[in-house]
Amino acid sequence: MTPHISAPPGAIAEAVLLPGDPLRAKHIAETYLENPVLYNQVRNMFGYTGSYKGKRVSVQGTGMGIPSASIYIHELIHFYGCKTLIRVGTAGAIQPHLELRDLVIAQAASTDSGINHTRFLGQTFAPIANFELMRRAYDQARARGLPVHVGNVLSSDFFYNDEPTSLERWAQFGVLAVEMEAAGLYTLAAKFGVRALCILTISDQLVKGQRSTPLERQESFNQMVEVALETLL
Ligand code: HPA
């Protein structure tokens, strides 16, 4: 039991999917896991453990942003011994060639957040994905015929940014999409020596001003979850 997760020791699997939205954790558990058991309700940040094709898997909501996600990720790794963590989330595309519903595999995560600036005393750390997980997720997506891009993403502290041009510099340097947690996940995975990956589905095309419908979001989210679960096997 930790300040934010009420599960007893051993109740959480070594392999964990991490959606931001706790109701997505519930949806994943009820749709894809056999015998899902709810292990956390603190702050309604639901976490479940069940099995997928015989493998023990947990799914834990993280909330939005690096600070919230980092609390859950730290506790999962440090107190519950989680070893493989895959974030499944949505992102806004900042390159014109990305389409709504495309998959993005975050090879690396740049950030405008202050956490690593503080942690590394003003120097720059490059948060990167685990190569083996990234390769497997890519192969899974390709085998399913899903449009998939691999590259740098921006983990922003802003959903509503006062600076209208804030994303342009990142886009000029090839960053594919903006989300809000991957840099925190990759940094903590590096700190604790475990494996992490972030897979995203494009829910907003920020260059073209397009937004997917709730049904499109759900369908592409499910495809991404299937890729993530197969990556864990
Ligand atoms: N910004 C940050 N995170 C996001 C976005 C966005 O536009 N869309 C989906 N996740």
Side-chain angles (χ1 to χ4, degrees), residues 12-182:
I12 306 180
E14 282 193 5
V16 194
L17 293 192
L18 301 169
D21 179 352
L23 290 179
R24 287 226 174 99
K26 183 171 191 279
H27 166 77
I28 293 168
E30 290 174 352
T31 309
Y32 293 104
L33 301 188
E34 284 164 37
N35 307 316
V37 175
L38 176 67
Y39 65 73
N40 190 52
Q41 292 192 76
V42 177
R43 291 173 184 253
N44 278 342
M45 200 60 86
F46 304 130
Y48 295 81
T49 299
S51 65
Y52 177 76
K53 296 188 177 175
K55 183 175 174 75
R56 196 160 177 257
V57 172
S58 293
V59 50
Q60 172 66 54
T62 64
M64 290 176 283
I66 290 173
S68 177
S70 295
I71 289 171
Y72 294 97
I73 293 161
H74 179 105
E75 293 181 5
L76 287 171
I77 301 171
H78 189 61
F79 297 109
Y80 290 99
C82 297
K83 301 277 186 233
T84 304
L85 300 94
I86 302 184
R87 161 164 157 72
V88 282
T90 57
I94 62 173
Q95 297 290 341
H97 67 280
L98 270 66
E99 307 279 354
L100 291 176
R101 310 184 55 172
D102 284 2
L103 285 187
V104 170
I105 294 174
Q107 182 178 15
S110 302
T111 188
D112 59 25
S113 162
I115 49 151
N116 280 351
H117 189 78
T118 304
R119 183 182 267 130
F120 290 95
L121 309 174
Q123 299 173 88
T124 305
F125 175 74
I128 58 168
N130 174 268
F131 177 74
E132 194 57 39
L133 293 177
M134 186 170 69
R135 181 163 69 176
R136 276 197 254 153
Y138 180 77
D139 289 346
Q140 279 295 331
R142 290 301 299 257
R144 284 152 196 269
L146 300 174
V148 58
H149 311 266
V150 180
N152 205 348
V153 303
L154 173 66
S155 300
S156 181
D157 275 354
F158 294 98
F159 189 87
Y160 300 105
N161 198 317
D162 292 329
E163 174 54 66
T165 61
S166 65
L167 297 172
E168 284 176 13
R169 177 67 52 80
W170 300 104
Q172 281 164 5
F173 281 69
V175 173
L176 297 172
V178 53
E179 55 85 63
M180 302 186 73
E181 295 84 11

